[in-house]
Amino acid sequence: MKVASLMLVSFCCVCLMLVGCSTTSSASSPENTAMSQTVADKDAKMAWWREAKFGMFIHWGIYAVPAGEWKGKDVRGPGEWIQTRGRIPGDQYDQLAKQFNPVDFNADQWASIAQAAGVKYIVITSKHHDGFCMFDTHATNFNVVAATPWHQDPLAQLDAACLLHGIRFCTYYSIMDWHTPDQSPHRPSSTAPEFSPTNMVPGKNDAYVAYMKAQLGELITGYHPSLIWFDGGWVHGWTAADAQTIYDYIQSCDPSIIVNNRLLYGVGDYGTPEQHIPNGGEQGDWETCMTINETWGYMSRDKDFKSAGTLITNLIKCVSGGGNYLLNIGPDGLGRIPEPEVQRLLAIGAWLKVNGDAIYGTTGSPFKSALPFGYATQKPGKIFLEITDWPTDGILRVPLSNVVIRAYLLTNPNSSLQVSPLLSTDGGGTQLVLPANAPDPVASVVVLEISGDPQPL
Ligand code: H79
């Protein structure tokens, strides 16, 4: 409850800070934008995100209706790519909107599941590459309210539900757009077009940037996202000036909004490795986005779900490398989060309920290289060891030269573990005596209380 009320307070601050989106072209150049954001500004803007560590990506659109199949045939690739991979002409694809009637959608249930999973933010598709808008936009009729028999606005409902559940609402927006007249398909065809990578229609950059601004303005003022996650910037003809114009526009609307780095050209606030976790992390702020099975958008045949253990370990690996983990789910055409996804989210949440102190609000591992027994994270005065390979001899050797004030299992904070410094002839460092059995089958956390900064060997 305390967290929820704190979040409410900070959301209200965000509202007060809204200065309205400037509709005129931004006067700031890339250089003065960079100068106007000091390190302190950036730290303040990124603070909630750096603490959050775990987010939920949601890919949901009319591609959930065909669910990876077109005219009785499996289409290769992820579900949300079906229009281009299936070579589906626009007039046929557009008909899917008429079949999108997700009567089982329940924003409060989605937000409850997210909360139970322990995520601190959600990022949901407002518009994917297909150009279909999952919010109430006046810039096109190709949207969920106008073009479907459902006539509801799921983003508005989720935004409200997230507020109640103390979760930050954020949104995804694709620059590549297979529906806009301002971009042309890679291989145009009335019967079998290939869309990606699209080309900006010569002379249409300004029109498309205006379209994006109109929609981003609607999203910012109507849904107050904490972060905007761009994608698909590999459109031929998308320029550095376009990227900077959009970034500046967002800052003019609300300078607290975080923007990922996929406007491209070095514009944006953090890096976005996709489907992989960089060993030892990356420089600066970063977030790995990853699917829970193989697809982003719902695909009925994809049953290749990662185990809860793999997902928990992935989260730890990201956080230990100083990054965030953005785990995707793909709800189906009726608005249901597939049961295997719910089970896994709840398992991660159960682990975080016990071990969250080792994740939220931490920074990356203080150690110079990978640890043989697992991973590490830290807070001032504390090192957390996430042990994925429990030592069979009951002895944990930690390459740390600090005096350890106290060591304990996060599951049993009142009982101290035996700690002894190792002789330099044994390689130095610290040795802990652990119980025979790991408290958690996936990852068990040992906390080391230390004085001063960590001194890794
Ligand atoms: O939304 C999910 C995916 O649909 C989207 N990003 C995640 C979050 C995504 N779209 N594409 N990709 C991921 C990877 C594909 C990159 C490439 Fe290409 C597109 C490789 C080949 C086609 C552009 C054109 C880059 C190289 C050639």
Side-chain angles (χ1 to χ4, degrees):
M1 272 319 286
K2 199 169 175 193
V3 172
S5 52
L6 281 173
M7 298 286 279
L8 284 170
V9 169
S10 72
F11 280 128
C12 290
C13 296
V14 168
C15 298
L16 292 173
M17 280 168 62
L18 271 180
V19 291
C21 308
S22 75
T23 47
T24 53
S25 157
S26 169
S28 53
S29 69
E31 291 74 25
N32 69 31
T33 297
M35 280 194 300
S36 68
Q37 182 170 272
T38 63
V39 172
D41 289 342
K42 173 107 189 243
D43 286 347
K45 175 162 116 166
M46 299 302 289
W48 71 264
W49 183 91
R50 288 177 184 159
E51 283 182 18
K53 297 295 165 197
F54 186 30
M56 186 163 92
F57 220 168
I58 307 176
H59 276 68
W60 200 39
I62 54 175
Y63 40 77
V65 173
E69 241 183 68
W70 190 253
K71 297 191 172 161
K73 290 205 178 103
D74 289 350
V75 177
R76 77 189 165 91
E80 75 285 359
W81 273 65
I82 193 167
Q83 186 179 8
T84 189
R85 291 281 163 80
R87 306 284 187 265
I88 304 170
D91 55 346
Q92 291 181 41
Y93 188 83
D94 293 358
Q95 298 303 313
L96 290 172
K98 296 190 180 139
Q99 298 170 50
F100 189 74
N101 192 18
V103 290
D104 291 334
F105 172 74
N106 181 329
D108 189 69
Q109 185 195 45
W110 285 20
S112 299
I113 291 168
Q115 187 179 11
V119 304
K120 300 297 185 187
Y121 58 111
I122 65 157
V123 182
I124 184 164
T125 45
S126 64
K127 184 189 81 163
H128 205 270
H129 306 338
D130 64 358
F132 187 78
C133 298
M134 292 296 285
F135 65 107
D136 188 10
T137 174
H138 295 101
T140 176
N141 282 332
F142 196 46
N143 78 63
V144 63
V145 178
T148 73
W150 191 46
H151 299 301
Q152 293 188 38
D153 181 345
L155 263 60
Q157 293 178 34
L158 258 182
D159 180 27
C162 281
L163 191 57
L164 291 176
H165 288 270
I167 294 169
R168 294 263 179 176
F169 177 83
C170 312
T171 195
Y172 167 109
Y173 189 95
S174 175
I175 296 165
M176 182 162 67
D177 189 318
W178 301 331
H179 192 80
T180 176
D182 300 330
Q183 295 176 30
S184 59
H186 179 59
R187 286 179 212 277
S189 159
S190 58
T191 53
E194 181 184 347
F195 292 90
S196 176
T198 57
N199 300 287
M200 292 302 306
V201 173
K204 288 292 187 182
N205 284 55
D206 287 351
Y208 188 65
V209 166
Y211 177 76
M212 284 181 68
K213 279 182 170 182
Q215 295 205 314
L216 293 166
E218 288 174 333
L219 286 166
I220 292 166
T221 54
Y223 308 73
H224 24 83
S226 294
L227 177 155
I228 301 180
W229 211 105
F230 287 100
D231 199 8
W234 57 78
V235 174
H236 291 168
W238 174 255
T239 68
D242 296 335
Q244 192 67 47
T245 302
I246 294 296
Y247 188 86
D248 290 348
Y249 176 68
I250 292 168
Q251 299 308 298
S252 80
C253 295
D254 180 352
S256 75
I257 294 177
I258 295 171
V259 175
N260 76 342
N261 68 343
R262 295 200 184 183
L263 287 166
L264 303 184
Y265 301 106
V267 177
D269 300 315
Y270 71 93
T272 52
E274 179 165 328
Q275 296 287 44
H276 72 100
I277 302 169
N279 276 328
E282 281 190 357
Q283 285 296 315
D285 295 306
W286 63 275
E287 165 199 76
T288 281
C289 59
M290 199 178 274
T291 51
I292 199 165
N293 44 359
E294 296 286 321
T295 186
W296 301 92
Y298 179 71
M299 203 159 59
S300 52
R301 69 174 180 276
D302 184 353
K303 309 283 186 209
D304 204 1
F305 296 100
K306 294 170 184 74
S307 69
T310 296
L311 297 167
I312 291 165
T313 307
N314 284 344
L315 170 63
I316 295 168
K317 194 174 172 195
C318 287
V319 178
S320 171
N324 285 12
Y325 191 47
L326 184 64
L327 177 63
N328 182 71
I329 60 164
D332 72 11
L334 288 175
R336 301 173 301 193
I337 302 174
E339 198 49 39
E341 300 185 5
V342 176
Q343 285 167 11
R344 282 156 181 79
L345 291 169
L346 298 182
I348 301 167
W351 186 86
L352 279 167
K353 206 167 173 119
V354 177
N355 300 292
D357 205 23
I359 300 294
Y360 303 122
T362 63
T363 54
S365 172
F367 298 104
K368 293 169 185 163
S369 52
L371 297 167
F373 52 78
Y375 302 91
T377 52
Q378 58 176 315
K379 286 178 185 168
K382 278 184 186 170
I383 295 175
F384 300 91
L385 304 172
E386 295 89 16
I387 306 171
T388 48
D389 282 307
W390 196 256
T392 48
D393 63 358
I395 304 292
L396 196 75
R397 291 168 191 84
V398 187
L400 185 76
S401 60
N402 295 66
V403 173
V404 174
I405 299 166
R406 200 166 87 81
Y408 54 92
L409 287 163
L410 204 46
T411 48
N412 195 3
N414 296 324
S415 166
S416 297
L417 298 170
Q418 191 189 317
V419 185
S420 46
L422 284 168
L423 296 172
S424 57
T425 47
D426 291 333
T430 302
Q431 172 178 291
L432 307 180
V433 181
L434 298 180
N437 296 315
D440 189 282
V442 175
S444 309
V445 177
V446 165
V447 185
L448 307 179
E449 290 180 357
I450 56 167
S451 68
D453 291 336
Q455 290 155 16
L457 290 177

